[in-house]
Amino acid sequence: RVLAGITLIVMLLASLLTKKGPEAYGAKPFGEMPAANKDNSQEHVWGLGEAWKTYAIWGVTLFFLMCAISEFLVWTQAVSFFVDVGYTMDRSVHLYMIIGVIGIFSMPIMGMFADRLVAKFGNEAKGRKMNLILCPLVGIVACLFILQSRHSIVFAVISCILFPIYWAMMPGGCIGYAGSIFGRKSLGKIWGIATLIAVSIGPAVGSIVGGALKDLTGGVTAAMMFAIAPYVVAFLLALT
């Protein structure tokens, strides 16, 4: 209870501090495009109803949802999968630790990669969309590698490197794309609802489906194969 209370207080403080834009604290958003340095008062402020009538917000929300289903299925079943294909529990846990360690570095690196894409395309929305197109492809390749890990630990290690690379591209990529469409003034309230939809449904579905398939089949291979399907749907959504 004490830990829960501390967490609640810290989250409330974080919410209060992030209500204002970077300019309120004498800073500018890192990686801001030169074209965005215009009079911010001219930026269109989207109403929630107006924004949620567009395909863009539904598309990126469903993309986030699909990725979250696959992602949490993998997160919750990866160790069990490694054990199923013959690794010891200690080795399986150590492989899983690779995901966390690589994630420390993949987040800033893939953030810079996304900014490079924007610079290359010369258009914020197009650059962010390309990042979303590539993101589920990395997830699919990671799933294919983990499925081959029964043959060699090399495949397992590669998959544990690719998963945090995908992870570093996905949530920030979704927010970046939404921000490029709706602007920073409107993004908070719009993306708050998008996150509520995707994060409240995706992790639950992924975890439940992964566990159910393990119970039904007696192993985790079917669950890992299923994880590819939502990534494919996300990829198709990113193309539209």
Side-chain angles (χ1 to χ4, degrees):
R1 290 182 179 180
V2 173
L3 181 60
I6 293 172
T7 303
L8 177 60
I9 292 170
V10 172
M11 289 179 66
L12 289 173
L13 288 172
S15 298
L16 291 172
L17 289 172
T18 56
K19 283 182 69 175
K20 298 180 180 179
E23 296 86 353
Y25 302 99
K28 288 187 177 181
F30 180 77
E32 185 177 32
M33 290 287 288
N37 293 329
K38 57 186 178 181
D39 184 2
N40 211 34
S41 64
Q42 302 302 312
E43 181 181 315
H44 175 66
V45 178
W46 291 75
L48 286 176
E50 180 187 12
W52 284 93
K53 289 178 181 177
T54 67
Y55 176 76
I57 189 60
W58 281 107
V60 74
T61 301
L62 292 174
F63 175 94
F64 192 3
L65 173 60
M66 290 298 106
C67 286
I69 291 173
S70 293
E71 177 180 322
F72 277 83
L73 188 155
V74 172
W75 293 163
T76 55
Q77 299 299 327
V79 172
S80 294
F81 178 80
F82 289 136
V83 172
D84 279 359
V85 299
Y87 298 115
T88 64
M89 177 59 75
D90 283 348
R91 175 160 289 185
S92 299
V93 171
H94 290 154
L95 283 168
Y96 194 75
M97 287 170 61
I98 294 174
I99 297 175
V101 173
I102 297 296
I104 297 172
F105 304 98
S106 64
M107 279 291 184
I109 291 172
M110 297 315 296
M112 290 186 287
F113 172 76
D115 288 341
R116 293 274 181 93
L117 284 177
V118 171
K120 181 177 181 179
F121 280 87
N123 181 285
E124 187 84 16
K126 288 182 179 179
R128 302 299 177 191
K129 186 169 185 178
M130 179 54 67
N131 183 70
L132 294 185
I133 291 172
L134 295 174
C135 168
L137 293 179
V138 177
I140 291 169
V141 173
C143 288
L144 294 175
F145 270 101
I146 200 172
L147 286 168
Q148 296 301 313
S149 60
R150 67 179 69 248
H151 303 300
S152 171
I153 194 172
V154 173
F155 293 113
V157 171
I158 293 174
S159 72
C160 290
I161 293 172
L162 289 175
F163 278 124
I165 291 175
Y166 142 80
W167 176 51
M169 298 173 73
M170 192 275 288
C174 291
I175 298 169
Y177 177 72
S180 71
I181 300 297
F182 300 104
R184 289 191 293 112
K185 282 188 174 181
S186 307
L187 179 62
K189 56 186 179 182
I190 296 170
W191 192 247
I193 295 177
T195 302
L196 178 64
I197 295 170
V199 176
S200 63
I201 298 174
V205 171
S207 302
I208 291 171
V209 169
L213 287 173
K214 181 181 178 182
D215 292 341
L216 287 171
T217 64
V220 190
T221 299
M224 287 299 175
M225 294 176 68
F226 175 86
I228 296 174
Y231 280 140
V232 172
V233 175
F235 172 69
L236 295 175
L237 285 167
L239 291 176
T240 59

